């Protein structure tokens, strides 16, 4: 896990649960939404809207991350990012996270501390408080985060509101994390921009609330892949979706990586997960806020097609496989 | 883990993440606080107070539970109970939980389903919604729960408000889970009342808000043991606490088990964790709501004593050991 075997004094077992949590929260400024921070039985967070949005997602070593591919800080950031993206996908502004970190007792103290630092770093980027945590002993590292958000008086944007005639739009990167995974899987470590996209996503958090304000009829976080997640949205809305491949941007960097690896970059764009872009439907192309691009349309049908046809390769990745 | 090796078709891998979450949430009535239940990117929960209380705690197989000692349903219930007790200890009424369940792909489907059923059962007992979840693959079973609660306009009762002259009171059972652990550790399975206390606590959830209403000056959930948790409260408040052993009830059942095992039941009462009783301080004995009993007093000192003396045996149990 670390470069060298952990000596007894530098492990999480030696410093203990309370020490580590204190270390990561001590001296960190909390946003104004944190009314009572960590250290008590529970925290208290402002919920000015009178409703609170809540999402939870966990990352497991060897399944969702590898510490020979990512730094502990990148893993901590990613664990927060995937949850904040879920909050944004409801049209809400994230306010706080809590984190449960499981790791073997002989985990080097620095590994656990850097992971928690990554949690705090990603949270601070968007003025989100790290308001609580739990540390437990386990055979593998697992980091489970729960995020809260505030709707600011807006209705939540669910997956279920898309109507035939709506346009389908995307904000954020597609295919980058999949390209990064392909690079890492072959033992390479560059290009760094692509590899880092796999190590930690850069979700367009603010695009969620702005889409909600602009009247998005449905929205989803793209965690499993564009086609897979649009299929979830289409199913929840009882509609079909047709994606126009000529509207999808394939970044030059992905074209380069595709050439080098003999892979089709459009496949990464259509099916790659873990970028945590947002997809939403709008009544009209003129409704789209800045940063959103039309990539298709909602039709009175079921399922998802690309340029009118079913996509004949495995759409998105599955858990448990 | 189960009685028999899992066949491929009956494992969580076969049914998949979406199938299991759908199974445990389908057809379950949600309380009125659940404004948008599971199935979207995030859930929406009522926070009428304009603040939300949040706590998170995880249980790991082999560390916090054993499936040869507890049923999956008892583990699910316990994972919820320990979190709801934290919410209650702030004086809040729990409203909802989310759960992240990690298990090996070959986990029998019934084990995971029963664990999630246990989650739903404990939640339903107190009108709490199970509003979201995540399932991930891991080498061991781990269940991580986050709970939310509402303060109903009251200030949160922290650990930090105890003042010299206050009385210290407890509501709920003490020592039962520790006695149950002693029984199970020796290979016995009875008395069932004691063993079940270890398998799943029965925290006095309603006693938290009622203590807050009655003006409790500080409060804590007893998860690590009476003396250990009173030490946390005393430290946070900058006071000392003296416990009067003659005010502590040692149930006849614990006396019997102590005799049978050659153990001192008072030690279980003073130091046993996992019962999730509540301890609180009040300005006067006459402030105590029903169900609360005075067990000591707050003094202008530091640390915790029993009948005026330091307690000379290990106070409470530690993680990571």
């Amino acid at each position: 896990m670390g470069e060298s075997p952990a000596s007894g004094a530098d492990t999480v077992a030696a410093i203990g649960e309370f020490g580590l949590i204190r270390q990561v929260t001590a001296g960190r400024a909390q946003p104004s939404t944190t009314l009572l921070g960590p250290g008590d039985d529970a925290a208290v967070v402002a919920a000015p809207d009178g409703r609170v949005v809540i999402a939870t997602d966990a990352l497991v070593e060897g399944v969702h991350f590898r510490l020979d591919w990512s730094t502990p800080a990148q893993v901590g950031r990613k664990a927060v990012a995937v949850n904040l993206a879920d909050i944004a996908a409801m049209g809400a502004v994230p306010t706080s996270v809590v984190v449960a970190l499981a790791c073997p007792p002989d985990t080097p103290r620095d590994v656990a501390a850097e992971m928690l630092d990554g949690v705090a770093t990603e949270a601070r980027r968007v003025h989100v408080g790290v308001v609580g945590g739990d540390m437990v002993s386990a055979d593998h590292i697992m980091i489970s985060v729960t995020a809260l958000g505030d709707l600011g008086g807006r209705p939540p944007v669910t997956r279920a509101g898309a109507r035939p005639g709506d346009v389908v739009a995307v904000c954020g990167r597609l295919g980058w994390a999949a390209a990064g995974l392909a690079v890492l899987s072959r033992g390479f470590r560059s290009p760094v921009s692509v590899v880092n996209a796999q190590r930690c996503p850069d979700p367009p958090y603010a695009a969620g609330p702005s889409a909600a304000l602009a009247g998005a009829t449905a929205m989803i976080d793209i965690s499993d892949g564009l086609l897979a997640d649009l299929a979830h949205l289409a199913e929840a809305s009882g509609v079909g979706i047709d994606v126009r491949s000529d509207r999808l941007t394939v970044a030059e960097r992905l074209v380069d990586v595709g050439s080098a690896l003999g892979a089709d970059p459009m496949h990464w764009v259509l099916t790659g997960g873990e970028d945590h872009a947002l997809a939403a439907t709008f009544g009209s192309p003129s409704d789209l806020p800045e940063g959103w691009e039309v990539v298709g349309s909602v039709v009175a049908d079921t399922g998802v097609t690309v340029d009118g046809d079913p996509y004949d390769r495995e759409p998105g990745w599955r858990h448990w496989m």
Side-chain angles (χ1 to χ4, degrees), chain A:
Chain A
M1 196 155 45
E3 279 76 3
S4 60
S7 76
D10 288 334
T11 62
V12 291
I15 178 169
E17 171 183 15
F18 299 115
L20 265 174
I21 291 178
R22 218 176 280 141
Q23 173 176 327
V24 77
T25 55
R28 290 197 186 272
Q30 290 278 352
S32 60
T33 46
T34 302
L35 305 178
L36 179 69
D40 217 294
D41 288 300
V44 184
V45 175
D49 177 86
R51 299 166 296 173
V52 66
V53 179
I54 180 166
T56 194
D57 251 318
L59 304 183
V60 179
E61 185 182 11
V63 178
H64 302 92
F65 66 87
R66 288 171 50 164
L67 285 177
D68 56 339
W69 284 0
S70 302
T71 66
Q74 286 166 334
V75 174
R77 286 190 56 191
K78 186 172 190 166
V80 170
V82 302
N83 279 283
L84 299 187
D86 278 329
I87 299 295
M90 304 304 290
V93 176
T95 53
S96 60
V97 292
V98 293
V99 54
L101 177 61
C103 49
D106 63 353
T107 302
R109 170 202 164 124
D110 286 351
V111 168
E114 284 168 24
M115 205 168 282
L116 292 173
D117 270 339
V119 164
T121 299
E122 187 68 14
R124 192 171 48 232
R125 283 182 64 207
V126 281
H127 310 293
V128 160
V130 181
V131 300
D134 187 23
M135 289 204 59
V136 293
S137 176
D139 280 0
H140 279 260
I141 298 183
M142 168 166 161
I143 180 165
S144 175
V145 171
T146 300
L148 300 185
D150 192 82
L151 286 162
R154 297 177 298 277
V157 184
T158 71
R159 302 174 177 183
R163 304 157 304 194
D166 284 355
V167 296
V168 177
V170 164
C171 182
R173 299 191 301 193
L174 293 174
W176 285 70
L181 184 61
V183 167
L184 288 163
S185 298
R186 309 233 183 155
F188 302 117
R189 292 292 183 273
S190 65
V192 170
S193 59
V194 169
V195 169
N196 277 350
Q198 205 289 319
R199 289 168 169 153
C200 183
D202 187 17
Y205 303 124
S210 66
L213 266 174
T217 52
M219 188 151 47
I220 191 166
D221 159 51
I222 305 178
S223 54
D224 295 338
L226 177 64
L227 299 186
D229 286 310
L230 287 181
H232 295 145
L233 188 152
E235 188 188 356
S237 294
V239 298
I241 285 175
D242 186 49
V243 172
R244 291 265 307 275
S245 62
D246 61 352
R247 306 301 295 264
L248 291 169
T249 307
V250 182
E252 207 172 325
R253 184 63 82 185
L254 298 197
V255 174
D256 294 346
V257 173
S259 299
L261 300 183
D264 175 10
M266 179 57 83
H267 185 63
W268 290 329
V269 169
L270 288 170
T271 68
E274 298 197 87
D275 283 307
H276 297 278
L278 296 175
T281 53
F282 296 87
S284 154
S286 62
D287 292 344
L288 269 61
E290 202 187 322
W292 287 84
E293 300 285 346
V294 171
V295 301
S297 54
V298 178
V299 295
D301 201 340
T302 60
V304 175
T305 52
V306 179
D307 304 326
D309 292 317
Y311 189 70
D312 59 358
R313 296 173 63 183
E314 178 70 19
W317 64 297
R318 295 199 190 143
H319 301 275
W320 305 108
M321 291 181 76

